[in-house]
Amino acid sequence: MKTIIEPFRIKVVEPIRLTTRSERLEFLRKADYNMFKLRAEDVLLDLLTDSGTSAMSSLQWSGIMRGDESYAGSPSFYRFERAVQEIFGFSQVIPTHQGRAAERILFSTLCRPGHVVPSNTHFDTTRANIEAAGAEAVDLPVPEGLVPAVPHPFKGNMDVERLQDLIARVGADSIPLCMLTVTNNTGGGQPVSMANIRAVSGVCRAHGIPLFVDACRFAENAYFIKLREEGYARKSVREIVREMFSYADGCTMSAKKDGLANIGGFLAMNDAALAQKERELLILTEGFPTYGGLAGRDLEAIAIGLEEVLEENYLEYRLASVRYLGQHISAGGVPIVQPPGGHAVYIDAAAFLPQVPPLQLPGQSLVCELYVEGGIRGVEVGTAMFGRRDPETGQETPAAMELVRLALPRRVYTQSHVDYMVEAILQVWERREGIGGFRFTYQAPTLRHFTAAYEPLYPVGG
Ligand code: P61
């Protein structure tokens, strides 16, 4: 059979609500044109994020019932700990309420002012937590990673030469750890090759710098390695994952992605002394080390989700559905980051709307138009999210790329939903010449995209 099907059947359904175009224009205005301020019930197909939005399996729901809520020493914790140890190969496992809590604990333990933390590309919460610890976050993607239209099998790779140059320039003593984000979310959900993980690890080990992997989408990354990297076609995803993490000293994880759970995360590593310090911080802000801010039932859902995400027919369907969306809009002329990523398709808003300059936020225009057209909610990953405003001069620096991310929640939408998305995106593409820009009317000093207010500089909706 050549048709790749959803490898599950539907047991519970959740209604979604159709709205009219004029209702959507009104909702958008009331939300200050900020997708994060829309009410979810006013969204038809929600592609804002693949984070925490997975449909859980019947086995995960049965795990929820089994969850043991003891304050200390819950059997649910030990099942969670064993799943993480077996899959990732790290001995120390610290549960956290989500990925950014793991980041905060890791960076506030290791980073000081004057420190530099390199990565292929830091995700925004990662960067913000490094900066909150007084250190500098540096992105070192390979050059192909910054050119949306150029296809490359491993656009998520880190530029190893630039890593070596950075170490030579600032000194290994100023680099308390190196990060590697798999897949590279900010760079288009693009995978990192095993060869690159090995090379980055080699450089780090030669200089005594610990390597931590931001593991959010580890299974999708492993499946890309299986499909695209020589020597891995016959290996199981589980074996590939073990090899990926064998080159690292630890990882941070948001279980809201490849944990197939609605909440949760963890920090894992082999260094018991470091883990001890981190558990002390955990107790201060998250909770006792056998629950870390999670309920026992969440730990069960994650332990089961981490196993299910490694099933190869799931991963085949997962990557195929993202590819299907990417290929169909691309065939209609829409410029996207090529090839499509593991969890999302990224539209190149700068190429879609060349008439809108970066400081007029072309990605912001595009997310608003997609919502008006089809009730689809995407997210801007461009100057609104990653641009910088000088607090003294008010001078704005645009982001490296102007992207719109359409993230597919895991196991949630069917192929006809994707066909509808394709239709709506192509309709916006047809009327692209009439679309203008936006400006901020309010912005917070950090992570401004969550709470920003915007004003259109043209009539939205055509
Ligand atoms: C997302 F607009 N990602 O992609 P937490 N590392 C990586 C992530 O992708 C990630 C985290 C760490 C989200 C949620 C999100 O401004 C935003 O469990 C590679 O969300 O704390 C999260 O994991 C943090 C979306 C987060 C945003 C921040 O949609």
Side-chain angles (χ1 to χ4, degrees):
M1 273 331 152
K2 68 177 183 355
T3 304
I4 298 169
I5 60 165
E6 289 88 356
F8 48 81
R9 54 186 182 181
I10 296 165
K11 195 169 192 164
V12 176
V13 295
E14 190 177 15
I16 47 178
R17 191 166 74 95
L18 286 155
T19 49
T20 64
R21 195 181 181 95
S22 60
E23 281 174 331
R24 293 195 290 270
L25 277 166
E26 186 54 18
F27 294 143
L28 206 49
R29 202 184 51 74
K30 282 199 183 130
D32 299 322
Y33 297 91
N34 184 335
M35 292 294 130
F36 290 96
K37 293 197 204 169
L38 280 175
R39 284 173 180 250
E41 63 193 10
D42 299 333
V43 174
L44 182 66
L45 299 178
D46 205 344
L47 310 183
L48 184 73
T49 180
D50 63 322
S51 179
T53 51
S54 306
M56 289 208 293
S57 66
S58 48
L59 210 62
Q60 283 178 296
W61 281 108
S62 65
I64 295 255
M65 285 307 296
R66 185 169 69 162
D68 179 293
E69 305 304 340
S70 304
Y71 190 93
S74 158
S76 300
F77 169 74
Y78 293 108
R79 277 191 282 272
F80 164 86
E81 184 187 48
R82 192 170 344 110
V84 176
Q85 286 169 337
E86 283 176 9
I87 294 168
F88 296 88
F90 298 121
S91 58
Q92 308 294 316
V93 180
I94 301 175
T96 59
H97 79 273
Q98 62 184 88
R100 66 197 73 181
E103 292 167 358
R104 191 190 65 82
I105 290 170
L106 179 66
F107 302 133
S108 51
T109 313
L110 291 179
C111 298
R112 298 282 166 271
H115 278 165
V116 179
V117 183
S119 175
N120 46 348
T121 310
H122 291 286
F123 188 64
D124 67 353
T125 55
T126 322
R127 170 174 287 277
N129 274 296
I130 290 170
E131 290 172 356
E136 187 192 346
V138 175
D139 294 336
L140 303 174
V142 287
E144 298 86 345
L146 295 175
V147 195
V150 176
H152 181 283
F154 292 104
K155 275 178 126 169
N157 283 354
M158 183 189 274
D159 190 327
V160 180
E161 242 174 69
R162 286 176 68 201
L163 175 64
Q164 283 166 321
D165 291 349
L166 178 80
I167 298 170
R169 188 160 53 80
V170 303
D173 289 348
S174 301
I175 306 180
L177 78 163
C178 175
M179 296 289 298
L180 204 48
T181 315
V182 302
T183 56
N184 187 358
N185 187 6
T186 313
Q190 300 292 320
V192 179
S193 70
M194 191 72 86
N196 191 251
I197 301 174
R198 203 181 296 122
V200 169
S201 169
V203 171
C204 288
R205 286 189 178 162
H207 291 90
I209 299 168
L211 174 63
F212 274 70
V213 174
D214 175 339
C216 291
R217 298 174 181 87
F218 73 99
E220 290 166 6
N221 198 98
Y223 200 66
F224 275 123
I225 290 177
K226 183 177 169 95
L227 295 181
R228 297 182 183 170
E229 194 162 348
E230 216 186 309
Y232 290 93
R234 291 218 192 86
K235 295 218 160 133
S236 69
V237 171
R238 196 178 285 273
E239 284 173 304
I240 296 172
V241 168
R242 271 307 274 267
E243 183 179 341
M244 283 164 62
F245 288 89
S246 71
Y247 301 120
D249 299 285
C251 72
T252 56
M253 174 72 183
S254 168
K256 302 173 75 172
K257 285 82 172 174
D258 274 351
L260 297 177
N262 302 126
I263 195 70
F266 57 85
L267 184 54
M269 71 210 72
N270 285 325
D271 182 337
L274 176 63
Q276 192 49 40
K277 276 198 218 153
E278 286 169 343
R279 286 195 185 96
E280 284 160 20
L281 262 183
L282 186 83
I283 291 172
L284 201 62
T285 59
E286 294 276 305
F288 189 72
T290 60
Y291 74 88
L294 292 170
R297 54 180 171 268
D298 300 324
L299 295 167
E300 293 279 356
I302 298 167
I304 297 164
L306 288 172
E307 294 290 339
E308 288 181 354
V309 81
L310 297 176
E311 286 168 15
E312 300 198 10
N313 57 4
Y314 159 74
L315 285 166
E316 181 187 35
Y317 136 80
R318 171 76 178 151
L319 298 197
S321 49
V322 177
R323 192 166 60 235
Y324 181 90
L325 172 61
Q327 284 176 346
H328 280 76
I329 61 171
S330 168
V334 175
I336 63 166
V337 173
Q338 292 285 9
H343 66 297
V345 169
Y346 291 67
I347 299 177
D348 180 355
F352 194 114
L353 300 172
Q355 70 274 27
V356 182
L359 294 183
Q360 285 186 18
L361 315 172
Q364 167 61 17
S365 306
L366 192 50
V367 288
C368 288
E369 294 297 342
L370 292 175
Y371 177 69
V372 172
E373 191 67 45
I376 297 168
R377 174 158 71 168
V379 70
E380 192 262 17
V381 183
T383 293
M385 189 183 275
F386 285 112
R388 283 290 157 125
R389 182 172 190 271
D390 187 312
E392 255 124 67
T393 64
Q395 182 79 26
E396 286 273 354
T397 311
M401 291 192 278
E402 300 298 333
L403 304 177
V404 164
R405 186 184 73 172
L406 305 173
L408 290 179
R410 295 172 179 79
R411 306 190 289 207
V412 170
Y413 293 120
T414 64
Q415 187 166 340
S416 67
H417 289 125
V418 180
D419 287 331
Y420 172 97
M421 292 168 203
V422 171
E423 228 173 282
I425 296 163
L426 293 180
Q427 273 169 19
V428 175
W429 174 245
E430 286 305 311
R431 58 180 183 80
R432 63 191 179 279
E433 280 165 15
I435 299 173
F438 271 80
R439 68 177 198 89
F440 281 101
T441 54
Y442 167 75
Q443 56 173 294
T446 52
L447 298 176
R448 63 183 182 179
H449 55 291
F450 285 131
T451 51
Y454 305 93
E455 185 176 78
L457 303 169
Y458 74 103
V460 173

